[in-house]
């Protein structure tokens, strides 16, 4: 027992003298050799790689918080709006295609409007009549009410003229100009990493679209610009122009005589004025 | 001559009849498979973008697909050969989560893909 105690005591006493001055233990003495081996370079390289990997990891995490790009934004939000408004618009119903795709494609080519990609959705409600939405670069979505086209007994060319008017309205930026710039800036082409989730802005965008589509509509100036442009383009083709004029006449009669569509002139003011704006005899 | 014709016919029929189903991926945000090859036919189930489906055969504009115990028809242009890299759910993960879509919303979003008709005025 005594022997063990002496042994422990002597170890503790001489422990301070460790480490032994030995070339194999003192790394300062072999620094040069390590340098020659290139180990330091390997360590440095590994440090850089780790830093790179960390940055990539953070960028990946940050990218998860991206909001939709310019190209995807309207496509996502308009589809989302349609989904949320399915019970009001009643687009989930069985209906024929009415052959509108070739008719509208032909119409666009006739007026020289090339490179347009479009989607068309028919709905079975009179809550709105027709509307055009942006869907990204050169892409558009048009919704059109079947009761509206049936009540007026519109021809394919007349429906195409109506869609063309909607297309010009979107192209001239009237729809987007009515959405709050603050809402758009927080939802489009930005990132909300370590920031508040843009929940309020998403809800506000849906409300703004509701207001434009259902109640507020477009103003006289916007409608004048659209009508004048469409008129100028269609004047080159007598048949198409005649169809456009007849269409506006039919809409005017409908808006004045049918209670279901009395709201029309509020959204697109106003068919009567439109006729005056393009009437050749009033020039 | 008849023998050669018969052999070729047999080879053609056997290869098409026993062709192995190939895997394709849903490219729309949501998609549905239907009981029959029609956009308004009864819906079997709804899938999310990027879902792999086994394509058994293609008929006109529809493909007959299977996944686990489900089988039915889906629009062929809703499928692509390689796993899509631009599904909104992946591209804008947190934003899409914030849309807070319920089962009913997903159903409608998928239905919308079937009911939208597309065209273009490419020269």
């Amino acid at each position: 027992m005594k022997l063990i105690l002496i042994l422990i005591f002597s170890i503790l006493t001489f422990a301070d003298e460790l480490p032994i001055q030995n070339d194999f233990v003192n790394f300062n003495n072999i620094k040069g050799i390590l340098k020659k081996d290139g180990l330091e370079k390997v360590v440095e390289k590994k440090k850089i790689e780790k830093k790179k990997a960390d940055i990539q990891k953070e960028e990946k995490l940050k990218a998860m918080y991206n909001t939709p790009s310019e190209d995807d934004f309207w496509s996502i939000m308009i589809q989302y709006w349609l989904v949320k408004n399915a019970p009001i618009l009643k687009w989930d119903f069985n209906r024929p295609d009415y052959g509108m795709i070739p008719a509208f494609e032909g119409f666009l080519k006739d007026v020289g409007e090339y490179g347009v990609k479009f989607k068309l959705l028919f709905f079975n409600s009179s809550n709105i009549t027709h509307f055009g939405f942006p869907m990204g670069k050169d892409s558009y979505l048009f919704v059109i009410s079947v009761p509206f086209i049936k009540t007026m007994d519109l021809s394919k060319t007349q429906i195409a003229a109506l869609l063309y008017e909607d297309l010009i309205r979107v192209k001239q930026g009237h729809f987007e100009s009515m959405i709050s710039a603050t809402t758009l800036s927080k939802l489009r082409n930005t990132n909300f990493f370590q920031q508040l989730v843009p929940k309020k802005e998403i809800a506000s965008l849906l409300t703004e679209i509701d207001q434009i589509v259902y109640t507020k509509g477009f103003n006289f100036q916007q409608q004048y610009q659209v009508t004048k442009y469409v008129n100028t383009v269609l004047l080159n083709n007598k048949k198409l122009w005649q169809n456009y004029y007849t269409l506006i006449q039919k809409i005017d009669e409908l808006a004045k005589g049918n209670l279901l569509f009395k709201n029309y002139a509020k959204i697109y003011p106003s068919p009567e004025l439109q006729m005056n704006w393009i009437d050749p005899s009033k020039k | 001559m008849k023998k050669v014709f018969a052999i070729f016919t047999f080879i053609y029929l056997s290869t098409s009849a026993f062709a192995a189903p190939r895997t394709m991926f849903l490219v729309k945000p949501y998609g549905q498979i239907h009981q029959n090859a029609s956009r308004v036919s009864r819906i079997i189930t709804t899938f999310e973008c990027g879902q792999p489906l086994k394509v058994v055969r293609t008929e006109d504009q529809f493909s007959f697909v299977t996944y686990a115990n489900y089988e039915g028809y889906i629009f062929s242009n809703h499928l692509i050969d390689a796993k899509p890299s631009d599904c909104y759910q992946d591209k804008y993960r947190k934003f899409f989560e914030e849309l807070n879509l319920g089962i009913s919303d997903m159903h409608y979003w998928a239905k919308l893909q079937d009911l939208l008709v597309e065209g273009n005025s490419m020269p």
Side-chain angles (χ1 to χ4, degrees):
Chain A
M1 187 64 186
K2 270 182 185 175
L3 195 69
I4 293 167
L5 281 172
I6 290 165
L7 194 66
I8 291 168
F9 179 76
S10 55
I11 288 170
L12 287 172
T13 315
F14 295 107
D16 283 349
E17 289 175 19
L18 288 170
I20 303 153
Q21 289 296 315
N22 186 329
D23 277 353
F24 290 105
V25 182
N26 191 340
F27 287 100
N28 283 332
N29 294 345
I30 57 166
K31 215 173 180 178
I33 300 166
L34 286 176
K35 253 187 191 171
K36 272 183 193 166
D37 280 358
L39 281 177
E40 273 192 348
K41 273 185 188 168
V42 172
V43 171
E44 201 59 37
K45 206 177 154 190
K46 284 202 168 166
K47 269 184 191 168
I48 294 168
E49 274 171 8
K50 193 186 175 299
K51 208 176 170 183
K52 242 185 200 173
D54 285 349
I55 292 170
Q56 272 176 354
K57 207 174 158 185
E58 185 162 332
E59 271 173 3
K60 215 175 167 183
L61 179 72
K62 205 179 162 190
M64 283 164 68
Y65 292 80
N66 279 347
T67 63
S69 65
E70 297 272 348
D71 249 15
D72 293 333
F73 178 75
W74 284 118
S75 171
I76 294 175
M77 297 318 288
I78 296 302
Q79 288 185 68
Y80 182 52
W81 181 82
L82 285 171
V83 164
K84 289 289 181 193
N85 281 266
I88 300 170
L89 293 176
K90 292 198 181 299
W91 50 256
D92 182 11
F93 79 115
N94 192 0
R95 43 83 193 148
D97 275 346
Y98 301 106
M100 269 319 296
I101 294 298
F104 190 42
E105 282 176 344
F107 188 98
L108 290 174
K109 285 176 184 170
D110 280 347
V111 296
E113 197 72 57
Y114 290 101
V116 170
K117 286 175 263 169
F118 65 89
K119 289 177 180 174
L120 192 54
L121 181 69
F122 294 95
F123 57 88
N124 194 18
S125 160
S126 313
N127 282 323
I128 60 170
T129 50
H130 60 96
F131 212 93
F133 296 100
M135 285 288 273
K137 196 175 180 293
D138 299 325
S139 281
Y140 305 87
L141 188 147
F142 303 101
V143 294
I144 190 153
S145 154
V146 173
F148 177 69
I149 53 178
K150 273 190 176 169
T151 311
M152 287 189 293
D153 194 21
L154 295 183
S155 69
K156 281 182 202 169
T157 314
Q158 286 164 348
I159 300 170
L162 193 63
L163 298 177
Y164 180 62
E165 200 190 74
D166 282 336
L167 170 74
I168 298 306
R169 202 170 280 113
V170 182
K171 277 189 124 182
Q172 291 186 348
H174 298 313
F175 173 75
E176 199 172 318
S177 71
M178 295 174 82
I179 306 282
S180 140
T182 327
T183 309
L184 285 181
S185 69
K186 285 193 177 167
L187 291 179
R188 189 168 57 181
N189 214 8
T190 181
N191 184 286
F192 62 100
F193 182 59
Q194 291 176 345
Q195 286 172 37
L196 275 179
V197 173
K199 242 184 187 143
K200 214 179 80 188
E201 284 75 16
I202 293 173
S204 140
L205 179 69
L206 292 190
T207 314
E208 284 182 54
I209 299 175
D210 279 352
Q211 280 174 353
I212 300 168
V213 174
Y214 295 123
T215 53
K216 226 164 103 187
F218 299 91
N219 61 36
F220 283 95
Q221 198 192 343
Q222 289 167 330
Q223 190 69 344
Y224 178 79
Q225 281 173 15
V226 172
T227 312
K228 276 289 184 187
Y229 182 86
V230 173
N231 180 55
T232 314
V233 173
L234 297 188
L235 271 175
N236 298 322
N237 186 323
K238 204 181 162 194
K239 193 186 138 210
L240 295 184
W241 185 88
Q242 191 55 53
N243 269 289
Y244 182 56
Y245 193 78
T246 314
L247 166 78
I248 300 176
Q249 270 181 325
K250 282 184 176 180
I251 296 176
D252 185 44
E253 281 166 26
L254 183 82
K256 283 174 180 166
N258 192 324
L259 282 174
L260 269 179
F261 301 102
K262 67 175 175 16
N263 209 21
Y264 188 92
K266 250 183 168 181
I267 310 295
Y268 304 106
S270 77
E272 194 180 341
L273 277 175
Q274 276 186 293
M275 278 196 295
N276 282 332
W277 292 333
I278 64 170
D279 190 342
S281 65
K282 291 192 177 168
K283 270 185 181 170
Chain B
M1 187 63 193
K2 273 182 184 173
K3 267 186 185 175
V4 175
F5 180 73
I7 289 166
F8 273 112
T9 312
F10 175 75
I11 292 168
Y12 173 75
L13 288 175
S14 57
T15 49
S16 55
F18 301 109
R22 70 182 202 277
T23 302
M24 290 186 86
F25 300 85
L26 182 67
V27 73
K28 299 283 177 183
Y30 294 96
Q32 285 168 334
I33 57 172
H34 299 268
Q35 194 168 32
N36 298 304
S38 154
R39 67 173 85 228
V40 290
S41 166
R42 193 174 81 86
I43 294 151
I44 308 285
T45 190
T46 302
F47 292 114
E48 211 177 37
C49 185
Q51 174 72 48
L53 297 164
K54 287 225 181 305
V55 178
V56 179
R57 60 179 185 274
T58 301
E59 297 170 13
D60 197 12
Q61 47 179 345
F62 283 90
S63 291
F64 184 78
V65 296
T66 64
Y67 177 78
N69 291 330
Y70 299 110
E71 59 176 38
Y73 293 86
I74 190 166
F75 270 106
S76 300
N77 63 358
H78 290 185
L79 303 172
I80 55 167
D81 287 316
K83 194 169 167 58
S85 59
D86 53 358
C87 292
Y88 295 148
Q89 290 95 324
D90 300 329
K91 225 169 148 185
Y92 311 111
R93 190 178 295 181
K94 295 286 175 188
F95 182 84
F96 215 81
E97 276 172 25
E98 285 314 315
L99 297 183
N100 214 5
L101 299 174
I103 292 174
S104 162
D105 298 327
M106 291 177 203
H107 162 81
Y108 274 125
W109 205 311
K111 190 92 207 222
L112 185 64
Q113 310 310 310
D114 284 343
L115 294 178
L116 283 171
V117 280
E118 295 180 32
N120 65 69
S121 63
M122 295 303 166

